Amino acid sequence: MTEQPRRTAQRAAIQEEIARAPGFISAQELHGRLASAGYGIGLATVYRTLQSLADRGVLDVLRRDNETLYRHCASEEHHHHLVCRQCGATVEVSGADVEAWAVRVATEAGFTNISHTLELDGICRDCTWANTVAASTNDPAEKPSMQGNTRATEERG
């Protein structure tokens, strides 16, 4: 078990801000929010704190397009994520079938003490609908934004 680091005002501010984020957020975006709120926290401190929180299971971590994104973990159970490629909406999913498959594949290959990460992505219902509407109007101004991580997250078990 990883030892908990000393609680400082900087770490507390980082944890509070990431808990307020509606979805996954990059270290740079989090640093920008903290700076806008008047906190003088260095980017290196943000990175170290996020890594420490992720190592302790407090944060979910998602790797997208050469960038690591973080989110306050809503579940203490092992889970996976289904993420919209357009808006960043995230659904937590768990599945016995995935867990059984991972164990079977590892066992067949002679591996023990395995761990795994599974990230699924696609286009959510809202973005699919928005894309359909935009395509039917054929107006580029009506096309949905590709900017992500602004929608609230959901949980599914």
Side-chain angles (χ1 to χ4, degrees):
M1 182 152 140
T2 306
E3 184 178 315
Q4 287 195 1
R6 185 173 49 94
R7 183 134 172 104
T8 66
Q10 290 181 326
R11 287 190 188 108
I14 291 167
Q15 278 191 271
E16 289 167 11
E17 189 61 38
I18 200 154
R20 279 193 289 272
F24 283 93
I25 184 172
S26 69
Q28 294 88 353
E29 186 178 352
L30 179 61
H31 180 257
R33 288 182 183 196
L34 291 163
S36 294
Y39 291 100
I41 302 173
L43 184 57
T45 299
V46 171
Y47 273 109
R48 280 192 307 272
T49 302
L50 290 173
Q51 186 59 55
S52 172
L53 293 169
D55 289 346
R56 292 184 6 236
V58 175
L59 300 181
D60 287 327
V61 179
L62 188 66
R63 288 166 183 81
R64 288 277 181 253
D65 301 325
N66 298 319
E67 183 174 46
T68 302
L69 304 173
Y70 303 88
R71 176 182 84 138
H72 179 73
C73 188
S75 173
E76 292 183 18
E77 304 293 321
H78 177 72
H79 59 276
H80 306 284
H81 301 103
L82 179 57
V83 181
C84 179
R85 286 190 299 264
Q86 285 188 260
C87 71
T90 303
V91 177
E92 287 188 359
V93 294
S94 60
D97 291 342
V98 171
E99 305 310 315
W101 172 81
V103 169
R104 181 178 50 78
V105 168
T107 301
E108 288 172 0
F111 281 68
T112 62
N113 194 23
I114 65 154
S115 64
H116 67 275
T117 302
L118 177 67
E119 298 167 1
L120 304 168
D121 62 44
I123 307 297
C124 72
R125 182 179 313 150
D126 291 345
C127 289
T128 298
W129 181 84
N131 291 341
T132 302
V133 169
S136 68
T137 64
N138 211 15
D139 180 358
E142 294 291 322
K143 297 221 186 248
S145 169
M146 295 295 279
Q147 299 297 316
N149 304 331
T150 57
R151 292 214 6 230
T153 59
E154 300 175 26
E155 260 186 80
R156 287 192 188 154

